[in-house]
């Protein structure tokens, strides 16, 4: 069984010392979205938290030591017009050096199963793989 992963951004090849979230904001700016416009749109719908133009610029040029809060990430989602998942993944990569692989075209049940399997030791993974492959073989034989 293979899973489609989201394609990396074309600009990802040019590495930035600033990190993934900084690049996400900078790329939006490079495409013509001004920091002023981003700031106007950067409002968390849950808490009302707003992000200022200087804060957005600082995230790109001189990022703080700590990642944005959940409310700030929701405000960034609104400012950039991207999914919250994408903002969180970029923040995780920038501040935690964690890269997530997105499974596309699958429902939440599959994502939960994959997430659960990802934390298993290698021997346990081999056992689960053998069970899944045996199930697939049995299904093909019964068709």
């Amino acid at each position: 069984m293979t899973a489609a992963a989201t394609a990396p951004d074309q600009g990802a090849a040019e590495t930035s010392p600033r990190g993934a979230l900084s690049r996400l904001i900078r790329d939006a700016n490079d495409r013509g979205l001004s920091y002023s416009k981003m700031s106007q749109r950067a409002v968390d719908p849950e808490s009302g938290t707003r992000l200022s133009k200087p804060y957005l610029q600082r995230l790109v040029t001189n990022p703080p030591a700590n990642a944005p809060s959940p409310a700030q990430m929701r405000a960034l989602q609104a400012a950039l017009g991207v999914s919250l998942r994408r903002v969180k993944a970029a923040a995780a990569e920038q501040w935690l050096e964690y890269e997530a692989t997105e499974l596309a075209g699958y429902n939440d049940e599959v994502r939960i199963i994959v997430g659960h399997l990802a934390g298993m030791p290698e021997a346990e993974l081999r056992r689960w793989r053998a069970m899944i492959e045996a199930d697939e073989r049995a299904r093909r034989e019964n068709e």
Side-chain angles (χ1 to χ4, degrees), residues 1-4 103-111:
M1 172 181 359
T2 60
L103 292 176
Y106 294 94
N107 64 23
D108 286 339
E109 290 300 316
V110 170
R111 287 187 188 101

Side-chain angles (χ1 to χ4, degrees), residues 56-135:
L56 293 166
Q57 291 171 320
R58 188 170 65 244
L59 280 174
V60 173
T61 59
N62 188 21
N66 298 317
S69 70
Q72 289 171 316
M73 284 192 261
R74 289 188 298 270
L76 283 167
Q77 172 196 10
L80 301 172
V82 298
S83 70
L84 183 57
R85 184 182 305 252
R86 187 163 179 205
V87 172
K88 286 180 176 182
E93 183 180 336
Q94 182 162 336
W95 277 274
L96 302 175
E97 297 179 4
Y98 174 81
E99 288 190 51
T101 299
E102 175 78 18
L103 292 176
Y106 294 94
N107 64 23
D108 286 339
E109 290 300 316
V110 170
R111 287 187 188 101
I112 290 168
I113 292 167
V114 170
H116 180 73
L117 292 173
M120 288 186 177
E122 187 64 34
E124 193 72 8
L125 281 174
R126 282 193 302 272
R127 188 173 76 81
W128 277 94
R129 181 178 181 165
M131 287 189 296
I132 292 167
E133 288 173 347
D135 179 69

Side-chain angles (χ1 to χ4, degrees), residues 18-76:
R18 303 290 183 237
L21 187 60
S22 297
R23 278 194 311 276
L24 193 62
I25 297 166
R26 184 194 66 217
D27 290 349
N29 183 250
D30 289 348
R31 286 190 307 274
L33 183 60
S34 71
Y35 288 107
S36 294
K37 185 68 172 174
M38 278 187 235
S39 177
Q40 291 170 4
R41 294 167 52 174
V43 180
D44 172 25
E46 292 180 28
S47 68
T49 297
R50 295 178 164 275
L51 302 180
S52 68
K53 176 182 171 182
Y55 177 76
L56 293 166
Q57 291 171 320
R58 188 170 65 244
L59 280 174
V60 173
T61 59
N62 188 21
N66 298 317
S69 70
Q72 289 171 316
M73 284 192 261
R74 289 188 298 270
L76 283 167

